[in-house]
Amino acid sequence: MRQAGVLAAPALLALQTHRERLVEDHARAQRLAEGLSRLPGAEVLHAPIETNIVFVRFPGRDAAAIKAALGAQGVLVGAFGADGLRFVTHLDVDDGAVAHALAALHSLTW
C-alpha cells in the first residue's frame, strides 16, 4: 500500500492527543450495544464490545431501509449485507447522541 502513511496519520494523531478519550468511546459503544440487544430480533455481533464499533444484524429486515429511516432522524450508520448495521462511537458522539440513536431505533416499527 503506497498510501499507508495517509491512513496511519489519523490513527497516530488519535493516539497522541485523544488516548484518554478512547475509554469513553468504548463505554458508549458498550451502552449502545446493550440498548441494541433489547430490540426485537436484534443480534449484536462480537459481544462483548471491546472497541468503539458495534455491529448488529436484524435478520429478516432490510438494513438499507433501517439506515434510511435512521438517517432521516439524524443518526448516521453504515449498512453491511442485507440485514446488518455498523455503529461507531467517536469524538463527536456523546452520551446524548447514543441516547438519541437508541430512541430513534426504538421509534421504528419492529
Side-chain angles (χ1 to χ4, degrees), residues 19-87:
R19 188 173 183 151
E20 297 81 24
R21 280 210 62 273
L22 291 176
V23 174
E24 296 172 28
D25 291 341
H26 294 181
R28 286 186 179 108
Q30 182 62 42
R31 284 195 298 276
L32 180 62
E34 289 168 2
L36 289 168
S37 69
R38 294 184 192 108
L39 290 170
E43 295 177 7
V44 176
L45 307 178
H46 312 296
I49 304 304
E50 296 179 359
T51 68
N52 66 327
I53 303 172
V54 180
F55 292 96
V56 62
R57 289 187 59 234
F58 296 96
R61 299 288 310 260
D62 179 17
I66 298 171
K67 177 182 175 177
L70 291 175
Q73 296 188 53
V75 178
L76 303 179
V77 300
F80 67 92
D83 61 1
L85 295 177
R86 180 182 73 116
F87 294 80

Side-chain angles (χ1 to χ4, degrees), residues 91-105:
L91 181 63
D92 298 322
V93 176
D94 59 14
D95 291 332
V98 171
H100 175 71
L102 290 171
L105 280 156

